[in-house]
């Protein structure tokens, strides 16, 4: 496992995406790798002296933490609040890949990603207060899961109704699936469990 922090250069325009990001790449033998990205904004009053006549008001740091894992079989791993299943319905020629997510207000996944409601709210406030060095988007309030599957995707759907536009599960071609889970819904315990069914051809 790799674990490191790095600062993004303040000279670049950045897009501050989801509060928690997971990227999962699966090979044909079901082995693969998982990357997790956590993002935090830290602000402190004052700052480094930068010349006479300048009063340092505050300093902000955007921290990104990456965690990297490998696995031998995605259906046999057990990350907190997240499961991956593979099955085939009887008398059906298509196969299915299921993603099961704990989206309750006590979600083990949210806890494991280090996402805190107050910190997300601070990020949103920061986003609304500036439009110079940093750019943010509404995905700051989401968990985003990117799946790279070695299959030809036929269909993707939530097994239960979800609000379109806020909850998304879509194919981006070449086996890539993107899932966005709104954090506010988790904190309100709107849907304690979420299942996404991915139908595919071998």
């Amino acid at each position: 496992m790799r674990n490191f922090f790095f600062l993004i250069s303040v000279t670049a325009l950045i897009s501050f995406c989801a509060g928690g990001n997971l990227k999962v790449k699966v090979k044909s033998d079901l082995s693969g790798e998982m990357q997790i990205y956590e993002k935090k904004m830290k602000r402190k009053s004052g700052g480094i002296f930068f010349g006479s006549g300048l009063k340092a008001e505050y300093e902000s740091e955007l921290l990104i933490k990456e965690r990297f894992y490998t696995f031998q079989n995605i259906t046999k791993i057990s990350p907190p609040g997240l499961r991956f299943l593979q099955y085939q319905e009887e008398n059906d020629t298509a196969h299915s890949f299921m993603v099961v997510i704990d989206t309750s207000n006590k979600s083990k996944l949210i806890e494991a990603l280090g996402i805190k409601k107050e910190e997300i709210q601070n990020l949103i406030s920061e986003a609304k207060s500036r439009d110079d060095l940093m750019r943010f988007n509404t995905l700051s309030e989401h968990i985003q899961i990117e799946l790279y599957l070695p299959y030809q995707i036929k269909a993707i759907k939530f097994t239960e109704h979800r609000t379109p536009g806020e909850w998304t599960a879509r194919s981006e071609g070449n086996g890539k699936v993107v899932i966005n889970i709104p954090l506010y819904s988790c904190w309100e315990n709107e849907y304690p469990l979420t299942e996404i069914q991915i139908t595919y051809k071998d």
Side-chain angles (χ1 to χ4, degrees):
M1 181 180 72
R2 300 183 305 188
N3 189 340
F4 65 89
F5 286 91
F6 63 90
L7 291 178
I8 292 181
S9 170
V10 296
T11 60
L13 293 177
I14 65 168
S15 175
F16 193 87
C17 289
N21 291 82
L22 290 87
K23 184 180 293 186
V24 185
K25 297 181 179 179
V26 184
K27 299 177 183 178
S28 57
D29 64 356
L30 298 183
S31 67
E33 60 189 41
M34 177 186 292
Q35 292 168 276
I36 299 174
Y37 299 95
E38 301 172 21
K39 307 176 187 70
K40 298 180 184 293
M41 175 69 73
K42 290 188 176 182
R43 175 180 284 195
K44 63 181 180 181
S45 300
I48 298 173
F49 176 74
F50 198 61
S52 60
L54 292 170
K55 179 184 177 183
E57 296 289 347
Y58 66 86
E59 289 183 349
S60 294
E61 286 184 336
L62 175 60
L63 301 176
I64 299 181
K65 178 181 181 180
E66 179 194 36
R67 290 186 267 162
F68 186 88
Y69 303 87
T70 59
F71 53 83
Q72 296 302 311
N73 187 321
I74 192 169
T75 65
K76 295 181 180 180
I77 64 175
S78 57
L82 188 63
R83 293 295 181 273
F84 301 96
L85 310 172
Q86 190 180 45
Y87 63 93
Q88 183 177 11
E89 299 283 0
E90 190 175 356
N91 301 321
D92 193 345
T93 57
H95 299 265
S96 291
F97 190 90
M98 184 81 78
V99 183
V100 183
I101 308 168
D102 178 359
T103 50
S104 69
N105 59 358
K106 296 182 180 179
S107 172
K108 295 296 184 183
L109 177 60
I110 292 177
E111 181 181 347
L113 290 175
I115 297 173
K116 295 180 175 58
K117 187 174 183 179
E118 181 181 351
E119 291 178 352
I120 294 297
Q121 290 173 335
N122 288 341
L123 287 171
I124 302 307
S125 296
E126 183 77 11
K128 292 177 179 178
S129 70
R130 62 168 69 229
D131 189 32
D132 49 5
L133 296 177
M134 298 181 184
R135 299 193 184 278
F136 297 70
N137 59 42
T138 55
L139 284 181
S140 297
E141 302 171 87
H142 289 69
I143 295 174
Q144 184 175 83
I145 299 173
E146 293 182 10
L147 286 173
Y148 296 82
L149 301 172
Y151 311 125
Q152 180 182 345
I153 307 299
K154 291 181 60 181
I156 302 172
K157 67 176 183 179
F158 291 100
T159 59
E160 295 181 338
H161 172 75
R162 294 292 186 270
T163 306
E166 296 181 359
W167 296 75
T168 59
R170 67 182 186 273
S171 171
E172 294 196 344
N174 298 318
K176 181 180 178 181
V177 174
V178 177
I179 300 167
N180 288 313
I181 306 294
L183 288 166
Y184 83 86
S185 182
C186 301
W187 289 322
E188 293 176 5
N189 206 40
E190 188 175 15
Y191 305 105
L193 190 68
T194 296
E195 298 176 337
I196 297 98
Q197 182 183 21
I198 303 166
T199 307
Y200 66 91
K201 292 182 180 179
D202 283 327

